[in-house]
């Protein structure tokens, strides 16, 4: 019965995605849903994109091992990322009427900055999407009681997600996110209530036990090196996630700048609050079944699905796996779409500038298929945990893309020379420390990369100005007063001036 429900749910999801695909008529519809999404859908797609496999399996298992201090990156850092992206950047970027973040880097700096930052963004998605694929494999393995191997489950899951994403793009992703958000909220809350009822003393007893075990300790001991690691972990997700195409797509898909801002903030708030539900379920599971406590060090990511399978009735399992499928599929589809769109727009289109809109739409879909195969290969050959895959995904964008974005928007004096110095300085320093010192470094390598990137931007921008060789630069405030179609090579013919 459970297996047939999963199959039915998958078929309905694919059907909804393909139905939404009928609204895709051009590249802009595919990439940013024609800038037509209302507030509830923007909020839902922000929440659903980030509430993925790591939120249910990864965060909960890390909480069991390390408490709240272990999840400083996600949900604390990731939620603040969405708030900052909404408040500080959404109104600037929305008014540019562009398709990708790479377009901003080109307009603000030049083609070289566009290409390098785009490659950083695309590479950063490998780990994040692979985490969702790995979770799909884990899900099919669990539901079929080992009948489908995790590897075969990964292949099957990727094929299903790819089916509707390649046709419907952002329209399919957004509509499904709205439906899947409802399923996620209802399913996980139902499980939480059911699990709490199985513990003597209910939810209060679970919370008291977690507090007594020190699981609510958030800040590290007063050791400067521990604090540096703590800050580096949080900053990696908080700042490294800002220059990401999926965040930008949700901002740009809204009907208005106001919806873009508040949709992002509301989605972030909902995400932050709701990530505590899987943590609660996982900890309660160790109280209900002591045998599950023995899985914390070795198979922590299996605790929640094992709890549901062993200790809840069929109806609860139906709700749970519906919620899990919704979480993983919504995140997987969004994170497949984002790098494929930005690679097509900012790398391939620059090579083939005369490409028409219909051909460009085909190119984006082909890029989506190719990227899916790369991610699948990475997921099949990686032994990293789901949480670590996601946490590591943002180091490259923190070191190479964050500073040029923030300074390009907020600092008029930032220049192309400064952006290039920031990118190369940040990436090279991060990679060298990672390779030569690694985890033995007292300061997290990505934090060193961020510092060098900032210094590179300041020195590269100010030194040429001081010696009188500064070239005219385009700043974000000037860009906002022009229609982006007249500045960007991707504009549709009817919008050119």
């Amino acid at each position: 019965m459970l297996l047939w429900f999963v199959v039915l749910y998958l078929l309905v999801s694919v059907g909804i995605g393909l139905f939404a695909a009928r609204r895709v008529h051009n590249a802009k519809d595919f990439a940013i849903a024609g800038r037509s999404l209302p507030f509830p859908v923007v909020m839902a797609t922000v929440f659903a994109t980030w509430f993925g496999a790591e939120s249910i399996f990864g965060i909960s298992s890390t909480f069991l091992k390390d408490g709240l201090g272990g999840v400083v990156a996600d949900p604390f850092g990731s939620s603040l990322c969405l708030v900052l992206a909404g408040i500080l950047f959404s109104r600037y970027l929305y008014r540019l009427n562009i398709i990708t973040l790479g377009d901003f880097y080109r307009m603000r700096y030049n083609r070289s900055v566009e290409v390098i930052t785009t490659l950083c963004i695309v590479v950063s998605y490998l780990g994040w999407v692979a985490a969702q694929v790995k979770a799909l494999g884990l899900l099919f393995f669990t539901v079929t009681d080992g009948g489908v191997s995790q590897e075969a489950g990964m292949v099957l899951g990727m094929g299903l997600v790819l089916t509707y994403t390649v046709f419907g793009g952002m329209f399919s992703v957004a509509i499904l996110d709205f439906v899947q958000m409802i399923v996620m909220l209802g399913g996980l809350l139902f499980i939480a209530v059911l699990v709490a009822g199985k513990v003597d003393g209910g939810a209060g007893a679970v919370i008291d036990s977690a507090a007594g075990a020190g699981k609510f300790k958030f800040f590290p001991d007063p050791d400067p090196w521990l604090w540096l690691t703590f800050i580096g972990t949080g900053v990696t997700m908080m700042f490294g996630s800002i220059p990401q195409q999926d965040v930008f797509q949700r901002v740009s898909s809204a009907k208005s700048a106001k919806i873009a801002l508040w949709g992002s903030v509301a989605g972030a708030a909902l995400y932050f609050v709701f990530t505590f539900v899987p943590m609660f379920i996982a900890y309660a599971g160790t109280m209900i079944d002591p045998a599950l406590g023995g899985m914390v060090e070795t198979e922590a990511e299996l605790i929640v699905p094992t709890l549901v399978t062993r200790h809840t009735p069929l109806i609860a399992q139906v709700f749970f796996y519906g919620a899990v499928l919704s979480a993983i599929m919504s995140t997987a589809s969004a994170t497949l779409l984002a790098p494929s769109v930005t690679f097509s727009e900012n790398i391939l289109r620059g090579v083939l500038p005369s490409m028409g809109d219909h051909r460009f739409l085909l190119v984006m879909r082909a890029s989506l298929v190719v990227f899916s195969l790369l991610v699948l290969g990475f997921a099949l050959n990686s032994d990293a945990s789901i949480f670590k895959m996601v946490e590591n995904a943002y180091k490259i964008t923190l070191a190479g893309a964050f500073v040029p974005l923030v300074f390009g928007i907020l600092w008029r004096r930032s220049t192309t020379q400064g952006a290039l110095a920031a990118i190369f300085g940040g990436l090279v320093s991060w990679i060298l420390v990672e390779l030569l010192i690694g985890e033995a470094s007292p300061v997290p390598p990505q934090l060193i990369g961020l510092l060098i990137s900032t210094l590179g931007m300041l020195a590269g921008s100010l030194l040429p100005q001081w010696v009188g060789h500064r070239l005219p630069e385009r700043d974000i405030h000037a860009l906002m007063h022009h229609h982006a179609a007249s500045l960007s090579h991707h504009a549709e013919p009817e919008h050119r001036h």
Side-chain angles (χ1 to χ4, degrees), residues 262-297:
W262 291 111
S264 181
V265 172
L270 183 61
Y271 172 78
F272 178 77
V273 171
F274 208 71
T275 48
F276 286 91
V277 176
M279 294 187 221
F280 174 86
I281 294 172
Y283 193 86
T286 62
M287 297 176 66
I288 295 170
D289 186 350
L292 296 178
M295 299 170 62
V296 170
E297 296 300 326

Side-chain angles (χ1 to χ4, degrees), residues 108-371:
R108 181 63 177 85
Y109 302 112
N110 65 7
R111 170 70 176 161
S112 297
V113 176
E114 172 192 16
V115 171
I116 300 169
T117 52
T118 294
L119 291 176
C120 289
I121 291 170
V122 170
V123 171
S124 73
Y125 275 95
L126 275 175
W128 195 6
V129 188
Q132 313 312 313
V133 176
K134 192 171 182 178
L136 282 170
L138 178 65
L139 180 67
F140 284 117
F141 176 79
T142 304
V143 169
T144 61
D145 197 21
V148 175
S149 68
Q150 293 195 41
E151 291 76 14
M154 291 182 199
V155 176
L156 176 60
M158 176 62 82
L160 290 168
V161 172
L162 184 61
T163 299
Y164 64 82
T165 308
V166 78
F167 287 104
M170 189 61 193
F171 264 123
S172 290
V173 170
I175 299 303
L176 263 178
D177 281 352
F178 184 76
V179 174
Q180 289 167 337
M181 180 189 74
I182 297 172
V183 176
M184 278 187 274
L185 295 176
L188 287 177
L189 285 175
F190 177 74
I191 293 295
V193 171
L194 190 65
V195 168
K198 291 180 174 291
V199 178
D200 291 336
V206 176
I207 295 171
D208 290 341
S209 175
K215 297 302 180 183
F216 293 156
K217 181 185 178 183
F218 181 65
F219 295 108
D221 295 331
D223 181 321
W225 302 117
L226 291 177
W227 271 91
L228 271 176
T229 302
F230 178 80
I231 293 171
T233 303
V235 164
T236 299
M237 185 73 82
M238 188 191 315
F239 292 162
S241 304
I242 289 178
Q244 290 286 351
Q245 178 63 18
D246 63 279
V247 177
F248 173 80
Q249 275 181 300
R250 274 128 199 85
V251 168
S252 299
S253 299
K255 274 186 176 181
S256 66
K258 184 177 180 180
I259 289 176
L261 191 162
W262 291 111
S264 181
V265 172
L270 183 61
Y271 172 78
F272 178 77
V273 171
F274 208 71
T275 48
F276 286 91
V277 176
M279 294 187 221
F280 174 86
I281 294 172
Y283 193 86
T286 62
M287 297 176 66
I288 295 170
D289 186 350
L292 296 178
M295 299 170 62
V296 170
E297 296 300 326
T298 56
E299 297 179 301
E301 291 175 351
L302 290 173
I303 288 178
V304 173
T306 303
L307 167 71
V308 173
T309 302
R310 290 181 182 175
H311 297 281
T312 63
L314 178 62
I315 184 64
Q317 295 177 41
V318 167
F319 274 102
F320 173 74
Y321 285 108
V324 173
L325 274 172
S326 296
I328 298 173
M329 291 176 68
S330 60
T331 302
S333 58
T335 49
L336 276 176
L337 180 65
S340 305
V341 167
T342 196
F343 183 79
S344 302
E345 167 71 5
N346 301 114
I347 304 295
L348 298 181
R349 192 156 196 171
V351 178
L352 302 169
S354 60
M355 184 167 38
D357 189 77
H358 178 69
R359 187 181 174 193
F360 181 53
L361 181 57
L362 293 177
V363 167
M364 282 199 289
R365 285 171 167 157
S367 298
L368 186 62
V369 174
V370 172
F371 187 75

Side-chain angles (χ1 to χ4, degrees), residues 88-97 104 107 409 412 474-484 487:
L88 296 181
F89 306 127
S90 64
R91 61 194 180 106
Y92 294 108
L93 296 175
Y94 186 87
R95 294 172 190 173
L96 294 180
N97 194 21
F104 166 80
M107 294 163 62
I409 291 176
R412 289 175 179 266
R474 294 162 287 181
D475 66 73
I476 186 67
H477 304 282
L479 291 175
M480 285 195 301
H481 288 85
H482 296 80
H483 195 285
L487 300 172

